[in-house]
Amino acid sequence: MSSPLFRRILLTNDDGIDAPGLSVLFEVASLLSDDVWVVAPARDQSGISHALSLHDPLRVHQHGPRRFYVNGTPGDCVAIAARQILGDAPPSLVLSGINRGANLGVETVFSGTVGAAMTAMLLGLPAFALSQAFSPMKEVPWETARVLAPDIIRQLASHVLPEPCCLNVNFPACDVQDAKGLVVTEQGRGLLRDIDIVAREDVRRMAYHWLHLRRDHESDAPGTETRAIADHHVSVTPLSFGRTNLEVRHFLTELLS
C-alpha cells in the first residue's frame, strides 16, 4: 500500500460541526492522510468572512477522537487548531468545507469557508476552500464533490506555488457523471448583486430585521469561476489578501501628480 500523501490534515468549515459537507470532506481527507483532525465551529458561521474573536474567550469541546468544536469563527478554529490543539505538529494541509453552495465572485469576501482557508494562509499553511454548488429546489449533489475532490486535491497539492495563496475550489451543480474537468479561473463578479433588508415586527411589536442577499443568474465573463461552474466544470481560483484596484490606483496617481 502506498504511503498517504499528507502527514496531517486539518478540516474546518463555516456550516458547523454537524454539517453534511464536513462529513463528506472527512471521507475525502481520509483517502489522503491517516491523520485527519476536525476543528469546526459549534454552529453555522456563514457570512463571517475572516473574523477572529479578539474580545471573547474561545472554548474548545471534544466531539470525538481528533474531533473538536469551538464557540467561535472558522478563522478562530484554524488558529486554535494550528497553534494549540495540534501543538508542535501543525497540519501539512488545511481543507475548509465542503460548503453547502458555491462561493463565487464577490461572495468569497464574505464567505467563512474562504475566510478559514485565508486564515490558514496567514499562518503559513497550504489551504483549500471547497464548495458544492446546487440548484434551487434540488438536493445538494454531494456525490460530485465526494468523488472528484480527492484527485483534484492530489493534483493541485503536488506543485509548489510561486506565492502564498489559498485555492478556492467549486464543484458544479450536476451529477458527477455530467461534471467536466478542472479549469483555472479568476474570481469575477459572481452572482451577488445587492443586500435587501426585510423588516418585521415580533409579538411584542418590536421591530427586527433580516438581511437577504439578492443574487441573479446572469452569465459572468469567460474565464471566471461563475462561468466555469455554469458550464459544469470544476473551478479553482487562487486567492490572496491583496485588494488594491490597480486601475483606480493608476487613475488617482495620474490625477494627483
Side-chain angles (χ1 to χ4, degrees):
M1 181 180 294
S2 61
S3 59
L5 180 61
F6 300 98
R7 175 184 52 78
R8 172 172 284 181
I9 295 179
L10 170 64
L11 308 184
T12 192
N13 70 353
D14 73 352
D15 289 332
I17 187 69
D18 295 319
L22 187 60
S23 297
V24 174
L25 186 58
F26 184 83
E27 293 182 41
V28 169
S30 296
L31 298 174
L32 305 173
S33 175
D34 295 329
D35 192 14
V36 180
W37 293 69
V38 176
V39 182
R43 60 181 182 84
D44 193 324
Q45 294 283 320
S46 299
I48 207 73
S49 188
H50 311 82
L52 297 174
S53 299
L54 303 180
H55 303 288
D56 297 295
L58 297 176
R59 303 191 187 278
V60 180
H61 304 270
Q62 189 151 11
H63 197 52
R66 294 183 293 189
R67 187 177 181 89
F68 300 83
Y69 65 88
V70 180
N71 66 321
T73 70
D76 293 336
C77 293
V78 172
I80 203 165
R83 296 295 187 253
Q84 178 70 30
I85 296 173
L86 300 183
D88 296 330
S92 49
L93 179 66
V94 176
L95 300 177
S96 180
I98 295 169
N99 192 67
R100 181 180 180 274
N103 276 304
L104 307 170
V106 175
E107 290 188 67
T108 60
V109 176
F110 301 99
S111 166
T113 303
V114 174
M118 298 290 276
T119 302
M121 181 181 71
L122 179 67
L123 300 180
L125 302 171
F128 291 26
L130 302 119
S131 302
Q132 175 62 63
F134 67 97
S135 300
M137 309 303 292
K138 292 185 178 181
E139 295 290 329
V140 181
W142 293 116
E143 191 67 11
T144 300
R146 188 197 317 271
V147 171
L148 299 179
D151 284 342
I152 285 173
I153 294 170
R154 289 189 189 100
Q155 179 183 357
L156 293 173
S158 64
H159 304 283
V160 177
L161 301 177
E163 291 186 8
C165 71
C166 83
L167 298 181
N168 184 38
V169 179
N170 283 278
F171 298 94
C174 63
D175 293 336
V176 63
Q177 64 268 21
D178 298 322
K180 300 177 183 177
L182 177 69
V183 293
V184 180
T185 51
E186 61 184 57
Q187 182 178 352
R189 179 188 59 181
L191 304 175
L192 182 62
R193 293 294 174 268
D194 205 342
I195 302 175
D196 294 327
I197 308 298
V198 180
R200 300 280 170 80
E201 253 186 17
D202 64 20
V203 294
R204 296 178 181 269
R205 304 189 65 81
M206 300 290 291
Y208 67 94
H209 304 83
W210 284 102
L211 300 184
H212 173 70
L213 301 181
R214 188 194 307 168
R215 300 179 177 91
D216 66 28
H217 296 282
E218 294 180 11
S219 180
D220 211 340
T224 62
E225 52 201 7
T226 306
R227 176 68 71 88
I229 291 299
D231 292 339
H232 288 183
H233 284 282
V234 181
S235 72
V236 57
T237 305
L239 300 177
S240 62
F241 286 113
R243 295 181 183 174
T244 303
N245 187 312
L246 297 178
E247 184 175 347
V248 175
R249 179 183 181 276
H250 177 72
F251 171 80
L252 291 175
T253 301
E254 292 292 319
L255 181 68
L256 300 175
S257 63

